Amino acid sequence: STFVAQYLGIRRVDRAMHVVWQGCLLALALVPFLVLMGLYSYRLFIAFGHSPELAKFEYEFFLGLVPGACATILSSALVGLFAGSGRPIVLLYCDAIATALNVVLDYGMIFGNLGFPKWGVAGAATASSISLCLKCVLLAAFAYWYLRTNRFGSWPSDAAGGIQLRNLFTLDLTLMKRLIRYGWPAGVSVVAEAWSFAIIMMLVGNLGERPAAATTLALGVNVLAFIPLIGLGIAVGVLVGKYLVQSQVHTVQRVVEAALIIGVLYSGVFAILYGLFPEQVMSIYAIGNDPARFESIKPDLKPLLYFIAAYCIFDSFQVIFSGVLKGAGDTHFVLLGHAIAGFGTVGLAVLGQRIFGWDGLYYWWGVISLWVVLLAIFFTARYLHGGWKSKRVIEPNLVSNEIDVDRLS
C-alpha cells in the first residue's frame, strides 16, 4: 500500500499497477512452498508429538486451507492497491461477500446440510478456502474495472516515460528488489510481534486453565479497543506516503495530529470503561458463557481490564506512529522497534523467570503492558526525530521530476 500511495501521489498510475503486479508474481512464487507445507504437514504434526488421530484431523484441516492461503497471499497485493489508493470500501465489499459465503458453506460442509456431504473440520477448511478464492477473484475484477475506467487516474503517455499497458504484466527485477527491500522488514516485524506474543501466551497457559481463560477473555475485550486503531494506522500510512512524495510535510503533520486526536479520544473511552466500569464490561462478556465457570474466572479477569485501561492509549500512539513510519518507507526502524520491544522485553522477562523465579498472571501482563509502552516510546521518538521525512520507497528520480513539473506548472 505504501508503494501504491507514493506512486499515485506523483500521478504514476502505471508504476502503481506495475508494483502490484510484482507483488502478485512474488505471491505466485510462494505457492509451491505452501503446497509442500500442506502435503508434508502430517509428518510435521507427528514430529511435534501430536497423536496420529489428532494429526490426521490437523492434516485434513491444514491441507484444506492451502488453496485459501495461496489466494490470501495473492490477494494481499490487490489489497495493497485499494488500501494505497484510498478505496477501503472495495475491501469492505469483498470481505463482506466472502464472509457471507463462508458462513453458508460452513453450515453446509461441516454439518452436511444444503446437499453437501458432512466433512467436519475438512469442510470448515474447504469452505474458508473457497471464500478466500472468491475474495481474490472479486478484488481482481474490481482492479480490472478500476483500471479500464481510469478510476485510479489517467494513464501517462509513452512520451512521459510511462509504462505501456501491454508491458504492464512483465517481470521487473529492479522494482521487485525495491519491493522486497522495503517490504521484508514490515513483514518480519509482524512475525516478530506474533512470536513474542505467542511465547507469552504459552507461558500464561502453563499457569493453569483459569489464568489462560482469563487472558483469552481479556484479549477478546481488547479487540474492540485495538482493531479499529489498525485501520486508523493504515489510513495514516497511506496519506503520509501520498503527501510526502509531494513534499507536503506540513500536511503530513496535520494528518498525524488529526489521527492522534481520534486515536486518543477513542482509546480514552475504553480506558475509562475498563478502568472505572469493569463489572459492567464483564457482565456483557458473561452472556453465552457458563455462569459458574465465568464466576470462577472473574477474579482473574478484572485486574486484566485495569492493565488494558493503563496501556490502551499507548497502543494508539504506537499504531499511529508506526503507520507514519511505514507510510514513509522507514520500515527498517519499525522492524528494529518491534525486535527490541518484543524480543527484548519478552527475553528479559523469561530470563527473570528462570533466574529469579518471577512468574504469575500479573507478571506476564505487566510484560505485555511494558512492551506496548516501549513501542509507543520508540515510534514516537522516531517521529519527533524526523528521520522518516527523508524516506521514500519509490525511485528518487520520479519524485524529483514530479516536484520540478509542479513548480513549472
Side-chain angles (χ1 to χ4, degrees):
S1 61
T2 299
F3 275 88
V4 171
Q6 294 195 8
Y7 278 131
L8 292 182
I10 58 170
R11 298 186 287 275
R12 288 299 300 267
V13 181
D14 58 325
R15 298 297 295 176
M17 297 302 299
H18 200 42
V19 77
V20 170
W21 178 245
Q22 304 312 305
C24 292
L25 292 177
L26 192 60
L28 291 173
L30 295 174
V31 167
F33 296 99
L34 292 173
V35 173
L36 286 174
M37 284 180 63
L39 293 175
Y40 288 94
S41 59
Y42 180 80
R43 297 181 182 180
L44 182 65
F45 294 131
I46 292 293
F48 273 99
H50 296 189
S51 67
E53 294 79 12
L54 177 60
K56 177 179 178 294
F57 286 114
E58 291 173 327
Y59 169 73
E60 292 176 354
F61 186 75
F62 194 91
L63 191 63
L65 284 177
V66 167
C70 296
T72 297
I73 60 172
L74 187 57
S75 297
S76 63
L78 299 170
V79 168
L81 171 63
F82 290 106
S85 61
R87 291 170 173 82
I89 192 67
V90 174
L91 305 180
L92 177 61
Y93 289 153
C94 295
D95 278 324
I97 294 171
T99 301
L101 177 64
N102 194 16
V103 171
V104 174
L105 292 179
D106 277 340
Y107 176 70
M109 293 183 171
I110 295 175
F111 304 106
N113 298 316
L114 306 177
F116 290 101
K118 186 178 181 179
W119 286 350
V121 293
T126 304
S128 296
S129 287
I130 293 173
S131 302
L132 291 170
C133 289
L134 174 64
K135 176 184 174 180
C136 185
V137 171
L138 290 173
L139 287 170
F142 271 112
Y144 178 78
W145 177 40
Y146 272 53
L147 179 62
R148 299 301 298 181
T149 55
N150 290 330
R151 288 174 179 263
F152 294 119
S154 301
W155 200 271
S157 63
D158 295 343
I163 300 174
Q164 297 181 26
L165 187 58
R166 62 178 177 273
N167 297 327
L168 178 66
F169 302 107
T170 57
L171 175 63
D172 187 334
L173 288 177
T174 302
L175 186 55
M176 179 77 78
K177 289 177 182 177
R178 293 188 71 86
L179 184 61
I180 295 173
R181 175 187 172 189
Y182 291 103
W184 80 263
V188 173
S189 66
V190 174
V191 174
E193 186 175 19
W195 280 358
S196 300
F197 199 76
I199 291 171
I200 293 178
M201 291 302 101
M202 285 190 293
L203 293 169
V204 169
N206 292 336
L207 299 175
E209 190 271 338
R210 272 180 50 186
T215 296
T216 301
L217 277 174
L219 293 175
V221 172
N222 192 38
V223 164
L224 283 175
F226 181 70
I227 295 300
L229 293 177
I230 297 295
L232 183 61
I234 293 172
V236 168
V238 170
L239 293 174
V240 167
K242 174 184 176 181
Y243 289 123
L244 265 187
V245 294
Q246 297 173 357
S247 297
Q248 298 186 43
V249 177
H250 180 65
T251 304
V252 169
Q253 292 171 334
R254 289 172 56 196
V255 167
V256 175
E257 290 169 1
L260 283 175
I261 292 172
I262 296 171
V264 170
L265 288 176
Y266 182 81
S267 298
V269 170
F270 286 95
I272 293 171
L273 285 175
Y274 298 158
L276 300 182
F277 306 102
E279 292 289 342
Q280 289 78 2
V281 172
M282 288 190 295
S283 65
I284 297 174
Y285 281 84
I287 301 173
N289 285 296
D290 178 65
R293 183 173 180 272
F294 189 80
E295 285 298 322
S296 68
I297 296 172
K298 277 181 66 174
D300 290 326
L301 176 60
K302 186 175 180 179
L304 302 189
L305 295 183
Y306 293 143
F307 278 101
I308 297 174
Y311 73 65
C312 67
I313 291 182
F314 289 97
D315 233 355
S316 66
F317 275 82
Q318 70 94 1
V319 169
I320 291 168
F321 285 125
S322 67
V324 173
L325 302 182
K326 290 176 184 177
D330 200 4
T331 53
H332 289 84
F333 187 87
V334 173
L335 174 59
L336 179 64
H338 279 290
I340 294 174
F343 287 139
T345 305
V346 175
L348 289 175
V350 172
L351 211 60
Q353 181 197 41
R354 298 290 173 84
I355 297 175
F356 302 108
W358 298 340
D359 206 354
L361 180 61
Y362 304 146
Y363 172 70
W364 291 112
W365 269 85
V367 172
I368 293 173
S369 302
L370 178 60
W371 177 10
V372 173
V373 171
L374 285 178
L375 282 176
I377 292 173
F378 285 147
F379 296 150
T380 303
R382 181 63 171 177
Y383 173 78
L384 295 175
H385 174 266
W388 55 275
K389 295 179 183 178
S390 60
K391 301 289 183 179
R392 306 290 187 274
V393 298
I394 64 176
E395 299 81 350
N397 63 299
L398 294 180
V399 179
S400 59
N401 289 343
E402 177 64 20
I403 293 173
D404 292 340
V405 170
D406 288 342
R407 286 173 177 173
L408 290 174
S409 60

